[in-house]
């Protein structure tokens, strides 16, 4: 049975929003001494309530509440360390209304540790956007750091009467950004020893932040879309090779067009390699999902049994042909058949002059050589960019043996095609005479 846990996504969002509001509001109120309005009072009580509920939920899921059983559907207690308990407890105490020194209210910021924990969890889950999230979370922490550094500066400097509260705050933010960025224009300068020590600490922290930014942001940006980076590298290598070997420019263009098409349609990924490491049952499900487009398109698969579709889907391999490519040539031995997912394929005579048929999405070809153990009866040429799915002879023979309905349908279609071609050749010969 699955373990229930209070740290689900929505609840984590609630905690993250509350912690962010606290870290913005509490230090600002402590240094600017503005009178607490009704809205802020309500907000503070709301955050207290949320933190108390969060604490109780954790205690309950950890099985620490005497007389209260674990949550419904939960079989094992969820570990809850005493450090987390202390942090959650201190953050939940409403120090603002207690007769204690005001800075104790800052203990509410301990809840930020939960935000860090949640961010870590989100990054692990959202593997695809982990780099983007890393950048986003870094910006978040940097903004909070700037704000707290500005509040700390105000606490040390006090509030001389020449400015109003907003100007004080804006100047403090300006100071904290310039110091953290190690720019330090020198228009706001520390005058007392504690202020100098504070400024030095900020500068050292700033140097750390700066090197983190330099070292990481470029990598993060480059890795936001690793598939695109790989694709660009591959195209650059290919272009260099083609130039070096003096490949004709129209062929170069076709090769580049092919790669661009591949990138556009499939993100340049080798799907079969990506899923090769999965166990067979999962691989079958992924193949069914990936190949659902073709399975839905091919009339032959409509109404076919789940077993049959699974067997075919597992073995079909996507291939792409560019306009004018010959997919097969008349007279060659055949070792595979194709299903068309996108694009048009012309079935033509050996000399390429007579077009027997033009096939589109959902059609198949190349079955005759496999069925009748003969050479290709015609050539197949891509009339435009074609996305095809290929079924190899070994698999094809296996499937024929296992699914006689499929075999007989193919025989019927192939027979008709052969008769049609014979008839067409006969007519053409008569017309020549
Ligand atoms: P095969 O002979 O293996 O290779 C060429 C393929 O072209 C052939 O199988 C058929 O699948 C296909 N083909 C041949 N003639 C026609 C036709 N008249 N209409 C549609 N497809 C055809």
């Amino acid at each position: 049975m699955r373990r229930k846990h209070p740290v689900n996504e929505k609840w984590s969002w609630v905690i993250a929003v509350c912690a962010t509001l606290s870290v913005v509001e509490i230090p600002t109120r402590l240094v600017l001494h503005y009178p607490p309005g009704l809205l802020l009072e309500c907000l503070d009580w709301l955050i207290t309530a949320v933190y108390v509920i969060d604490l109780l939920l954790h205690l309950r899921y950890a099985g620490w509440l005497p007389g209260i059983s674990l949550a419904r559907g939960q079989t094992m207690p969820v570990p809850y360390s005493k450090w987390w308990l202390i942090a959650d407890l201190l953050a939940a105490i409403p120090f603002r209304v207690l007769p204690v020194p005001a800075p104790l209210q800052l203990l509410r910021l301990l809840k930020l540790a939960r935000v860090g924990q949640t961010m870590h969890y989100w990054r692990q889950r959202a593997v695809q956007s982990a780099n983007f999230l890393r950048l986003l979370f870094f910006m978040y922490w940097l903004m909070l750091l700037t704000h707290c550094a500005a509040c700390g500066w105000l606490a040390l400097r006090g509030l001389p009467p020449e400015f109003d509260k907003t100007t004080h705050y804006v100047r403090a933010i300006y100071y904290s950004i310039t110091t953290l960025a190690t720019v330090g224009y020198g228009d706001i300068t520390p005058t007392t020893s504690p202020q100098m020590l504070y400024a030095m600490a900020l500068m050292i922290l700033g140097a750390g932040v700066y090197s983190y930014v330099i070292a990481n942001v470029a990598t993060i940006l480059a890795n936001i879309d690793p598939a695109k980076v790989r694709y660009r590298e591959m195209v650059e290598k290919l272009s260099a090779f083609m130039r070096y070997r003096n490949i004709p420019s129209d062929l170069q263009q076709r090769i580049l067009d092919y790669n661009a098409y591949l990138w556009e349609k499939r993100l340049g990924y080798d799907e079969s390699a990506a899923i090769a490491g999965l166990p067979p049952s999962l691989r079958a499900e992924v193949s069914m999902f990936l190949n659902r487009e073709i399975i839905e398109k091919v009339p032959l698969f409509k109404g076919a049994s789940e077993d049959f579709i699974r067997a075919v889907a597992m073995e079909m391999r996507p291939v792409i042909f560019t306009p004018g490519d010959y997919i097969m040539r008349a007279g060659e031995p055949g070792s595979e058949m194709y299903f068309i997912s996108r694009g048009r394929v012309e079935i033509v005579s050996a000399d390429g002059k007579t077009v027997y048929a033009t096939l589109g999405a959902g059609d198949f070809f190349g079955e005759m050589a496999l069925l009748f153990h003969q050479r290709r009866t015609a050539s197949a040429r891509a009339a435009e960019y074609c996305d095809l799915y290929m079924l190899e002879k070994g698999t094809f023979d296996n499937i024929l043996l296992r699914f006689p309905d499929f075999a007989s349908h193919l025989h019927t279609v192939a027979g008709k095609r052969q008769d049609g071609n014979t008839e067409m050749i006969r007519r053409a010969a008569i017309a020549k005479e």
Side-chain angles (χ1 to χ4, degrees), residues 328-338 345-348 355-359 363-372 374-380 413-414 416-422 424:
M328 56 184 64
R329 297 242 183 211
E332 280 176 353
S335 59
E336 70 281 311
M337 72 170 289
Y338 295 90
V345 171
E346 288 174 338
I347 305 295
V348 294
V355 178
Y356 296 138
T358 303
L359 307 178
D363 288 328
F364 58 86
F365 61 93
E367 78 293 355
M368 280 150 86
L370 308 190
L371 274 179
F372 307 131
Q374 60 185 29
R375 289 176 178 264
R376 296 288 189 200
T377 54
S379 299
V413 174
K416 276 189 194 152
R417 282 175 173 177
Q418 204 157 28
D419 293 348
N421 291 356
T422 319
M424 205 185 278

Short mmCIF file of all heavy atoms in Angstrom, two decimals, residues 328-338 345-348 355-359 363-372 374-380 413-414 416-422 424, ligand 1:
data_model
loop_
_atom_site.label_atom_id
_atom_site.label_comp_id
_atom_site.label_asym_id
_atom_site.label_seq_id
_atom_site.Cartn_x
_atom_site.Cartn_y
_atom_site.Cartn_z
N MET A 328 13.07 1.52 -51.84
CA MET A 328 13.45 0.19 -52.33
C MET A 328 13.48 0.24 -53.85
O MET A 328 12.86 1.11 -54.46
CB MET A 328 12.45 -0.86 -51.83
CG MET A 328 11.02 -0.57 -52.19
SD MET A 328 9.87 -1.75 -51.50
CE MET A 328 10.03 -1.53 -49.77
N ARG A 329 14.24 -0.69 -54.44
CA ARG A 329 14.36 -0.70 -55.90
C ARG A 329 13.84 -2.03 -56.43
O ARG A 329 14.07 -3.08 -55.82
CB ARG A 329 15.82 -0.58 -56.30
CG ARG A 329 16.43 0.75 -55.87
CD ARG A 329 16.86 1.53 -57.04
NE ARG A 329 17.50 2.77 -56.63
CZ ARG A 329 17.47 3.87 -57.33
NH1 ARG A 329 16.83 3.90 -58.48
NH2 ARG A 329 18.08 4.96 -56.92
N ALA A 330 13.14 -1.95 -57.57
CA ALA A 330 12.61 -3.16 -58.19
C ALA A 330 13.75 -4.12 -58.48
O ALA A 330 14.84 -3.69 -58.89
CB ALA A 330 11.89 -2.78 -59.49
N GLY A 331 13.52 -5.41 -58.22
CA GLY A 331 14.52 -6.42 -58.53
C GLY A 331 15.47 -6.74 -57.39
O GLY A 331 16.15 -7.77 -57.40
N GLU A 332 15.48 -5.90 -56.37
CA GLU A 332 16.36 -6.19 -55.21
C GLU A 332 15.68 -7.23 -54.31
O GLU A 332 14.46 -7.32 -54.30
CB GLU A 332 16.51 -4.92 -54.36
CG GLU A 332 17.51 -3.93 -54.89
CD GLU A 332 17.53 -2.67 -54.02
OE1 GLU A 332 16.67 -2.55 -53.13
OE2 GLU A 332 18.39 -1.83 -54.28
N PRO A 333 16.47 -7.98 -53.55
CA PRO A 333 15.81 -8.85 -52.57
C PRO A 333 15.21 -7.98 -51.46
O PRO A 333 15.76 -6.92 -51.13
CB PRO A 333 16.94 -9.72 -52.02
CG PRO A 333 18.20 -9.05 -52.41
CD PRO A 333 17.93 -8.09 -53.53
N GLY A 334 14.10 -8.42 -50.89
CA GLY A 334 13.44 -7.59 -49.86
C GLY A 334 13.66 -8.14 -48.47
O GLY A 334 13.62 -9.35 -48.25
N SER A 335 13.93 -7.28 -47.53
CA SER A 335 14.10 -7.79 -46.17
C SER A 335 13.26 -7.02 -45.15
O SER A 335 13.42 -7.20 -43.95
CB SER A 335 15.57 -7.72 -45.76
OG SER A 335 16.00 -6.39 -45.84
N GLU A 336 12.36 -6.13 -45.63
CA GLU A 336 11.49 -5.43 -44.69
C GLU A 336 10.28 -4.84 -45.41
O GLU A 336 10.30 -4.69 -46.62
CB GLU A 336 12.25 -4.32 -43.95
CG GLU A 336 12.64 -3.10 -44.75
CD GLU A 336 13.88 -3.30 -45.61
OE1 GLU A 336 14.89 -3.78 -45.10
OE2 GLU A 336 13.80 -2.99 -46.82
N MET A 337 9.24 -4.57 -44.62
CA MET A 337 8.09 -3.86 -45.20
C MET A 337 7.88 -2.57 -44.41
O MET A 337 8.45 -2.40 -43.33
CB MET A 337 6.83 -4.72 -45.19
CG MET A 337 6.21 -4.93 -43.84
SD MET A 337 4.58 -5.69 -43.95
CE MET A 337 3.58 -4.37 -44.63
N TYR A 338 7.07 -1.65 -44.96
CA TYR A 338 6.92 -0.33 -44.35
C TYR A 338 5.46 0.05 -44.17
O TYR A 338 4.60 -0.32 -44.99
CB TYR A 338 7.57 0.73 -45.24
CG TYR A 338 9.05 0.59 -45.38
CD1 TYR A 338 9.60 -0.19 -46.40
CD2 TYR A 338 9.92 1.23 -44.50
CE1 TYR A 338 10.97 -0.33 -46.53
CE2 TYR A 338 11.30 1.10 -44.63
CZ TYR A 338 11.81 0.32 -45.65
OH TYR A 338 13.17 0.18 -45.78
N VAL A 345 4.26 8.21 -50.84
CA VAL A 345 5.27 7.33 -51.45
C VAL A 345 4.75 6.90 -52.81
O VAL A 345 3.59 6.49 -52.93
CB VAL A 345 5.52 6.09 -50.55
CG1 VAL A 345 6.40 5.07 -51.27
CG2 VAL A 345 6.15 6.49 -49.23
N GLU A 346 5.60 7.04 -53.83
CA GLU A 346 5.17 6.60 -55.17
C GLU A 346 5.73 5.20 -55.43
O GLU A 346 6.92 4.95 -55.20
CB GLU A 346 5.72 7.56 -56.22
CG GLU A 346 5.02 8.89 -56.21
CD GLU A 346 5.67 9.89 -57.15
OE1 GLU A 346 6.87 9.72 -57.48
OE2 GLU A 346 5.00 10.84 -57.55
N ILE A 347 4.85 4.32 -55.91
CA ILE A 347 5.29 2.99 -56.32
C ILE A 347 5.51 3.07 -57.83
O ILE A 347 4.56 3.38 -58.57
CB ILE A 347 4.22 1.92 -55.99
CG1 ILE A 347 3.86 1.98 -54.50
CG2 ILE A 347 4.68 0.53 -56.42
CD1 ILE A 347 4.96 1.61 -53.55
N VAL A 348 6.74 2.89 -58.25
CA VAL A 348 7.07 3.12 -59.67
C VAL A 348 7.74 1.90 -60.30
O VAL A 348 8.24 1.01 -59.59
CB VAL A 348 8.00 4.35 -59.82
CG1 VAL A 348 7.30 5.63 -59.41
CG2 VAL A 348 9.28 4.17 -59.02
N VAL A 355 4.22 5.35 -62.86
CA VAL A 355 3.80 5.36 -61.45
C VAL A 355 2.61 4.42 -61.31
O VAL A 355 1.55 4.67 -61.87
CB VAL A 355 3.43 6.79 -60.99
CG1 VAL A 355 2.95 6.78 -59.56
CG2 VAL A 355 4.62 7.73 -61.17
N TYR A 356 2.82 3.30 -60.60
CA TYR A 356 1.71 2.35 -60.42
C TYR A 356 0.69 2.88 -59.42
O TYR A 356 -0.50 2.71 -59.58
CB TYR A 356 2.23 1.00 -59.90
CG TYR A 356 3.17 0.28 -60.84
CD1 TYR A 356 4.31 -0.35 -60.36
CD2 TYR A 356 2.89 0.21 -62.20
CE1 TYR A 356 5.18 -1.02 -61.21
CE2 TYR A 356 3.75 -0.46 -63.07
CZ TYR A 356 4.89 -1.07 -62.56
OH TYR A 356 5.74 -1.72 -63.41
N ALA A 357 1.17 3.48 -58.38
CA ALA A 357 0.25 3.97 -57.34
C ALA A 357 0.97 4.99 -56.47
O ALA A 357 2.20 5.01 -56.41
CB ALA A 357 -0.21 2.79 -56.47
N THR A 358 0.16 5.84 -55.84
CA THR A 358 0.74 6.77 -54.85
C THR A 358 0.10 6.46 -53.51
O THR A 358 -1.12 6.48 -53.38
CB THR A 358 0.45 8.23 -55.25
OG1 THR A 358 0.99 8.44 -56.56
CG2 THR A 358 1.11 9.20 -54.29
N LEU A 359 0.94 6.11 -52.55
CA LEU A 359 0.41 5.69 -51.24
C LEU A 359 0.58 6.82 -50.23
O LEU A 359 1.50 7.64 -50.34
CB LEU A 359 1.15 4.45 -50.74
CG LEU A 359 1.20 3.25 -51.71
CD1 LEU A 359 2.00 2.11 -51.10
CD2 LEU A 359 -0.21 2.77 -52.05
N ASP A 363 -1.12 3.67 -45.34
CA ASP A 363 -0.87 2.57 -46.30
C ASP A 363 0.40 1.83 -45.92
O ASP A 363 1.20 2.31 -45.11
CB ASP A 363 -0.70 3.14 -47.71
CG ASP A 363 -2.02 3.62 -48.28
OD1 ASP A 363 -3.04 3.01 -47.92
OD2 ASP A 363 -2.01 4.61 -49.04
N PHE A 364 0.56 0.65 -46.55
CA PHE A 364 1.80 -0.10 -46.33
C PHE A 364 2.32 -0.60 -47.67
O PHE A 364 1.57 -0.63 -48.66
CB PHE A 364 1.58 -1.27 -45.36
CG PHE A 364 0.52 -2.23 -45.82
CD1 PHE A 364 0.82 -3.28 -46.69
CD2 PHE A 364 -0.80 -2.09 -45.39
CE1 PHE A 364 -0.16 -4.16 -47.11
CE2 PHE A 364 -1.78 -2.97 -45.82
CZ PHE A 364 -1.47 -4.00 -46.67
N PHE A 365 3.59 -0.95 -47.73
CA PHE A 365 4.16 -1.49 -48.97
C PHE A 365 5.41 -2.32 -48.62
O PHE A 365 5.89 -2.26 -47.49
CB PHE A 365 4.49 -0.38 -49.98
CG PHE A 365 5.50 0.61 -49.45
CD1 PHE A 365 6.86 0.45 -49.71
CD2 PHE A 365 5.09 1.69 -48.69
CE1 PHE A 365 7.79 1.36 -49.22
CE2 PHE A 365 6.02 2.60 -48.19
CZ PHE A 365 7.36 2.43 -48.45
N GLY A 366 5.84 -3.07 -49.64
CA GLY A 366 7.04 -3.91 -49.44
C GLY A 366 6.70 -5.27 -48.88
O GLY A 366 7.59 -6.02 -48.48
N GLU A 367 5.39 -5.60 -48.88
CA GLU A 367 4.98 -6.88 -48.28
C GLU A 367 5.14 -8.04 -49.26
O GLU A 367 5.32 -9.18 -48.85
CB GLU A 367 3.53 -6.79 -47.78
CG GLU A 367 2.42 -6.90 -48.81
CD GLU A 367 2.36 -5.72 -49.78
OE1 GLU A 367 3.13 -4.76 -49.60
OE2 GLU A 367 1.58 -5.78 -50.74
N MET A 368 5.11 -7.74 -50.59
CA MET A 368 5.06 -8.83 -51.57
C MET A 368 6.33 -9.68 -51.56
O MET A 368 6.26 -10.91 -51.56
CB MET A 368 4.79 -8.26 -52.97
CG MET A 368 3.31 -7.96 -53.16
SD MET A 368 2.97 -6.61 -54.25
CE MET A 368 2.95 -7.34 -55.82
N ALA A 369 7.47 -9.01 -51.53
CA ALA A 369 8.74 -9.76 -51.54
C ALA A 369 8.82 -10.68 -50.33
O ALA A 369 9.35 -11.80 -50.42
CB ALA A 369 9.91 -8.78 -51.52
N LEU A 370 8.28 -10.25 -49.20
CA LEU A 370 8.36 -11.06 -47.98
C LEU A 370 7.37 -12.22 -48.02
O LEU A 370 7.67 -13.34 -47.61
CB LEU A 370 8.09 -10.21 -46.74
CG LEU A 370 8.90 -8.92 -46.57
CD1 LEU A 370 8.67 -8.33 -45.19
CD2 LEU A 370 10.39 -9.18 -46.75
N LEU A 371 6.17 -11.92 -48.58
CA LEU A 371 5.12 -12.95 -48.59
C LEU A 371 5.43 -14.06 -49.59
O LEU A 371 5.30 -15.24 -49.29
CB LEU A 371 3.80 -12.31 -49.01
CG LEU A 371 2.94 -11.67 -47.92
CD1 LEU A 371 1.69 -11.08 -48.55
CD2 LEU A 371 2.56 -12.70 -46.87
N PHE A 372 5.86 -13.63 -50.79
CA PHE A 372 6.04 -14.62 -51.87
C PHE A 372 7.49 -15.04 -52.07
O PHE A 372 7.82 -15.71 -53.02
CB PHE A 372 5.48 -14.03 -53.19
CG PHE A 372 4.05 -13.54 -53.07
CD1 PHE A 372 3.67 -12.29 -53.53
CD2 PHE A 372 3.08 -14.35 -52.48
CE1 PHE A 372 2.36 -11.84 -53.41
CE2 PHE A 372 1.77 -13.91 -52.36
CZ PHE A 372 1.41 -12.66 -52.82
N GLN A 374 10.15 -13.47 -53.05
CA GLN A 374 10.63 -13.09 -54.39
C GLN A 374 11.34 -11.74 -54.30
O GLN A 374 11.42 -11.16 -53.22
CB GLN A 374 9.43 -12.97 -55.34
CG GLN A 374 8.44 -11.91 -54.86
CD GLN A 374 7.17 -11.83 -55.70
OE1 GLN A 374 6.75 -12.82 -56.29
NE2 GLN A 374 6.58 -10.67 -55.76
N ARG A 375 11.84 -11.23 -55.42
CA ARG A 375 12.48 -9.93 -55.43
C ARG A 375 11.42 -8.84 -55.49
O ARG A 375 10.26 -9.12 -55.80
CB ARG A 375 13.43 -9.82 -56.62
CG ARG A 375 14.63 -10.71 -56.38
CD ARG A 375 15.59 -10.77 -57.50
NE ARG A 375 16.70 -11.62 -57.08
CZ ARG A 375 17.85 -11.17 -56.58
NH1 ARG A 375 18.06 -9.89 -56.43
NH2 ARG A 375 18.79 -12.01 -56.21
N ARG A 376 11.82 -7.61 -55.23
CA ARG A 376 10.88 -6.49 -55.24
C ARG A 376 10.21 -6.37 -56.61
O ARG A 376 10.91 -6.38 -57.64
CB ARG A 376 11.62 -5.18 -54.95
CG ARG A 376 12.25 -5.11 -53.56
CD ARG A 376 11.22 -4.96 -52.50
NE ARG A 376 11.80 -4.68 -51.19
CZ ARG A 376 11.17 -4.89 -50.05
NH1 ARG A 376 9.96 -5.43 -50.04
NH2 ARG A 376 11.73 -4.60 -48.91
N THR A 377 8.89 -6.23 -56.59
CA THR A 377 8.18 -6.15 -57.86
C THR A 377 8.17 -4.73 -58.42
O THR A 377 7.85 -4.52 -59.58
CB THR A 377 6.71 -6.57 -57.67
OG1 THR A 377 6.17 -5.77 -56.63
CG2 THR A 377 6.59 -8.04 -57.34
N ALA A 378 8.45 -3.77 -57.59
CA ALA A 378 8.43 -2.37 -58.04
C ALA A 378 9.39 -1.57 -57.17
O ALA A 378 9.86 -2.08 -56.15
CB ALA A 378 7.01 -1.81 -57.94
N SER A 379 9.63 -0.32 -57.59
CA SER A 379 10.45 0.55 -56.74
C SER A 379 9.52 1.45 -55.93
O SER A 379 8.39 1.71 -56.35
CB SER A 379 11.34 1.44 -57.60
OG SER A 379 12.20 0.64 -58.37
N ALA A 380 9.99 1.91 -54.79
CA ALA A 380 9.20 2.87 -54.00
C ALA A 380 10.05 4.11 -53.79
O ALA A 380 11.21 4.01 -53.40
CB ALA A 380 8.82 2.24 -52.67
N VAL A 413 -4.37 -8.32 -50.31
CA VAL A 413 -3.92 -7.02 -50.84
C VAL A 413 -2.80 -7.23 -51.86
O VAL A 413 -2.83 -6.68 -52.96
CB VAL A 413 -3.44 -6.11 -49.69
CG1 VAL A 413 -2.84 -4.82 -50.25
CG2 VAL A 413 -4.58 -5.76 -48.76
N ALA A 414 -1.82 -8.08 -51.48
CA ALA A 414 -0.67 -8.29 -52.34
C ALA A 414 -1.11 -8.91 -53.68
O ALA A 414 -0.63 -8.49 -54.74
CB ALA A 414 0.33 -9.19 -51.65
N LYS A 416 -4.02 -8.58 -55.16
CA LYS A 416 -4.68 -7.55 -55.97
C LYS A 416 -3.65 -6.63 -56.62
O LYS A 416 -3.76 -6.26 -57.79
CB LYS A 416 -5.61 -6.71 -55.10
CG LYS A 416 -6.97 -7.35 -54.92
CD LYS A 416 -7.90 -6.38 -54.23
CE LYS A 416 -9.13 -7.11 -53.73
NZ LYS A 416 -9.71 -6.48 -52.56
N ARG A 417 -2.65 -6.26 -55.84
CA ARG A 417 -1.63 -5.34 -56.36
C ARG A 417 -0.89 -5.99 -57.53
O ARG A 417 -0.65 -5.36 -58.56
CB ARG A 417 -0.63 -4.98 -55.26
CG ARG A 417 -1.20 -3.95 -54.31
CD ARG A 417 -0.26 -3.68 -53.17
NE ARG A 417 -0.74 -2.57 -52.35
CZ ARG A 417 -0.15 -2.15 -51.24
NH1 ARG A 417 0.92 -2.76 -50.80
NH2 ARG A 417 -0.65 -1.14 -50.58
N GLN A 418 -0.55 -7.26 -57.33
CA GLN A 418 0.20 -7.95 -58.39
C GLN A 418 -0.62 -8.03 -59.67
O GLN A 418 -0.13 -7.75 -60.76
CB GLN A 418 0.57 -9.36 -57.92
CG GLN A 418 1.78 -9.90 -58.62
CD GLN A 418 2.49 -10.99 -57.83
OE1 GLN A 418 1.83 -11.69 -57.03
NE2 GLN A 418 3.77 -11.15 -58.02
N ASP A 419 -1.93 -8.39 -59.51
CA ASP A 419 -2.81 -8.49 -60.68
C ASP A 419 -2.90 -7.14 -61.37
O ASP A 419 -2.85 -7.04 -62.60
CB ASP A 419 -4.22 -8.94 -60.26
CG ASP A 419 -4.19 -10.37 -59.75
OD1 ASP A 419 -3.14 -11.04 -59.97
OD2 ASP A 419 -5.17 -10.81 -59.13
N GLY A 420 -3.06 -6.08 -60.56
CA GLY A 420 -3.19 -4.72 -61.11
C GLY A 420 -1.96 -4.36 -61.91
O GLY A 420 -2.07 -3.83 -63.03
N ASN A 421 -0.79 -4.69 -61.38
CA ASN A 421 0.45 -4.35 -62.08
C ASN A 421 0.58 -5.12 -63.38
O ASN A 421 0.97 -4.57 -64.42
CB ASN A 421 1.66 -4.64 -61.20
CG ASN A 421 1.72 -3.69 -60.02
OD1 ASN A 421 0.90 -2.79 -59.92
ND2 ASN A 421 2.67 -3.90 -59.13
N THR A 422 0.26 -6.42 -63.30
CA THR A 422 0.35 -7.26 -64.52
C THR A 422 -0.54 -6.67 -65.60
O THR A 422 -0.15 -6.55 -66.77
CB THR A 422 -0.10 -8.72 -64.20
OG1 THR A 422 0.43 -9.08 -62.94
CG2 THR A 422 0.34 -9.69 -65.25
N MET A 424 -1.58 -3.61 -65.88
CA MET A 424 -1.06 -2.32 -66.35
C MET A 424 0.07 -2.53 -67.35
O MET A 424 0.14 -1.88 -68.39
CB MET A 424 -0.55 -1.50 -65.15
CG MET A 424 -0.56 -0.02 -65.42
SD MET A 424 0.15 0.90 -64.09
CE MET A 424 -1.14 1.03 -62.94
P1 LIG B 1 7.46 -5.54 -52.92
O1 LIG B 1 7.33 -6.28 -54.18
O2 LIG B 1 8.06 -6.21 -51.78
O3 LIG B 1 8.20 -4.16 -53.17
C1 LIG B 1 7.56 -3.16 -53.94
C2 LIG B 1 6.22 -2.87 -53.27
O4 LIG B 1 5.40 -1.95 -53.90
C3 LIG B 1 5.38 -4.13 -53.28
O5 LIG B 1 5.97 -5.07 -52.47
C4 LIG B 1 4.04 -3.61 -52.89
O6 LIG B 1 3.94 -3.49 -51.51
C5 LIG B 1 4.08 -2.25 -53.51
N1 LIG B 1 3.23 -2.23 -54.72
C6 LIG B 1 3.48 -2.83 -55.87
N2 LIG B 1 2.49 -2.57 -56.75
C7 LIG B 1 1.61 -1.79 -56.13
C8 LIG B 1 0.37 -1.19 -56.48
N3 LIG B 1 -0.17 -1.35 -57.70
N4 LIG B 1 -0.28 -0.46 -55.57
C9 LIG B 1 0.24 -0.28 -54.35
N5 LIG B 1 1.41 -0.83 -53.97
C10 LIG B 1 2.08 -1.57 -54.83
#
